[in-house]
Amino acid sequence: MRKSLHRLTARLDHWSLNPVAVTGISGTRALLGFVGLMYYVGQYQERDYLFGPRGVLPHEEFTAQLSGFSLYTLSASPGYFQLVYHLGIVAALAVTLGIGGRAGLVLHWVLLWSVYQRQPGLLDGGDNLAYVVIPFLLLTRCYDRFALPTGLASRVARHVPGQLRALSVPFHNLGVLMVAVQICLVYVVSGLYKVMGSEWQDGTALFYVMRVAEFELPGWSNLVYENDLLVVLGTYGTIAFLVYFPMGVLVPALRPWAAVTSIGFHVSIAFFMGLTGFALTMIACDLVFLSGALDRAIAWSRGRLAGVRSARAGAGTPQGGTAGSGPAGTDPPGRAPVPERPAAPEAELV
């Protein structure tokens, strides 16, 4: 009993002192920011028609039917609309580049919520997950990687009491856990909901889904829904993947494979059905399960880059001695020996 209690406390200490999946959650933040930026830029040419106060949904009608909150309800001025819309672009770009910290993340969430509420007909489902996940990121250290260094965070941290700084690690781990649980819930609920449908039970659901005019990709979708084997495998394979995904991520050895399978699954959704925003949002959340693999890939890339630089530096040195040396590699008289070039540092995990 005492040993079990000791192991439990040791695990709790380790969990509270060592941040997990820092690289993965930083990738989640960057990709979610890019999804928002892509939404703004993709509708930029038609922004007045789609979101403006005098567009397809006039400001008065929008305000009357809105049940939630949106910054676009505060004024019917075209100038105010342009200000809020362009501020949303700046906020999304800042989150993507890792600028602004948690304050920028909150601003991005409020502006993204507002623009999504302004025109719900353009949404593809990824917005629901973004609404939930972005607040979770506020608990995490999602700006530790893939962020432009500004030095502001370190200056602010120096003024924070040590007791509060000590809470950053358990809060970070809690936020990562909440993102992981949320994405697992999305998969399981979606899979169980599909199981109740008769088309999913008899293996024909993929045939009907890929024939919907909104989601059909001309020249490609028919290659799938005209093949009975692909339809059956795709239908049952989708259900099996969605329902059993959480079991895959619970096993450390299977976790990267489950995440890669999920990424491939959503890349196919983006390609065949055109639901790019939804697919990228799901992929962004999957990155928390690939943090270790991302660390190893970055370390390998840095090692390769260091090796290439060393090889180029060595190629510029003549054989038989250092540049400017005399015969047989000896230094000419009156000149100090040239120190040897230091070895390239080993690549560190990001």
Side-chain angles (χ1 to χ4, degrees):
M1 182 68 179
R2 184 176 298 178
K3 290 183 179 180
S4 300
L5 183 61
H6 178 71
R7 285 196 296 267
L8 177 61
T9 55
R11 289 196 175 191
L12 289 176
D13 289 341
H14 183 272
W15 190 80
S16 62
L17 295 174
N18 299 277
V20 299
V22 176
T23 303
I25 203 68
S26 298
T28 301
R29 182 263 309 157
L31 192 49
L32 287 179
F34 175 75
V35 172
L37 180 63
M38 182 180 66
Y39 183 83
Y40 282 110
V41 174
Q43 321 297 336
Y44 190 79
Q45 293 294 331
E46 304 295 333
R47 65 187 184 281
D48 292 307
Y49 175 73
L50 295 173
F51 309 106
R54 301 171 185 170
V56 63
L57 184 63
H59 183 268
E60 295 77 13
E61 296 182 20
F62 167 61
T63 305
Q65 71 180 29
L66 181 66
S67 59
F69 169 77
S70 175
L71 293 176
Y72 293 92
T73 63
L74 300 181
S75 175
S77 168
Y80 173 79
F81 158 71
Q82 296 292 344
L83 175 64
V84 174
Y85 193 87
H86 286 87
L87 184 60
I89 296 177
V90 173
L93 180 61
V95 171
T96 304
L97 299 179
I99 302 173
R102 289 176 174 83
L105 198 57
V106 170
L107 180 62
H108 171 61
W109 185 86
V110 172
L111 291 166
L112 196 64
W113 173 284
S114 298
V115 75
Y116 282 163
Q117 295 296 310
R118 184 65 180 91
Q119 192 54 266
L122 298 177
L123 304 180
D124 58 9
D127 56 293
N128 295 318
L129 187 59
Y131 293 153
V132 177
V133 170
I134 292 178
F136 293 163
L137 296 181
L138 296 175
L139 299 174
T140 68
R141 298 166 57 172
C142 60
Y143 282 87
D144 283 12
R145 308 284 190 271
F146 311 125
L148 295 180
T150 61
L152 179 61
S154 59
R155 290 195 296 269
V156 172
R158 284 197 292 266
H159 299 284
V160 178
Q163 293 85 349
L164 292 180
R165 289 201 302 269
L167 293 175
S168 65
V169 174
F171 274 132
H172 164 84
N173 291 341
L174 177 62
V176 172
L177 179 62
M178 293 168 72
V179 173
V181 170
Q182 179 63 41
I183 193 67
C184 288
L185 285 175
V186 170
Y187 283 130
V188 172
V189 172
S190 176
L192 294 178
Y193 183 78
K194 286 179 171 58
V195 168
M196 294 187 295
S198 58
E199 290 84 4
W200 292 96
Q201 294 175 6
D202 59 26
T204 60
L206 194 63
F207 173 83
Y208 298 105
V209 170
M210 301 198 72
R211 288 180 62 87
V212 176
E214 288 183 78
F215 305 133
E216 186 175 1
L217 181 63
W220 290 89
S221 297
N222 63 297
L223 299 179
V224 177
Y225 64 69
E226 291 177 357
N227 188 307
D228 295 340
L229 180 60
L230 290 180
V231 169
V232 173
L233 292 178
T235 301
Y236 290 134
T238 297
I239 294 177
F241 163 72
L242 294 174
V243 173
Y244 292 105
F245 176 83
M247 297 184 183
V249 299
L250 286 175
V251 182
L254 298 178
R255 193 172 299 149
W257 298 104
V260 169
T261 303
S262 177
I263 291 174
F265 174 73
H266 288 101
V267 166
S268 65
I269 289 178
F271 179 77
F272 285 103
M273 303 180 67
L275 302 176
T276 308
F278 166 77
L280 290 179
T281 301
M282 297 295 291
I283 291 173
C285 297
D286 286 331
L287 293 181
V288 298
F289 302 115
L290 283 174
S291 190
L294 291 174
D295 282 332
R296 291 189 292 272
I298 293 174
W300 180 85
S301 300
R302 284 190 170 186
R304 294 284 295 178
L305 182 60
V308 170
R309 288 177 177 175
S310 299
R312 288 180 178 177
T317 304
Q319 294 183 354
T322 58
S325 62
T330 59
D331 293 311
R335 180 178 295 181
V338 178
E340 294 182 1
R341 183 182 302 274
E346 293 184 2
E348 299 178 357
L349 290 179
V350 176

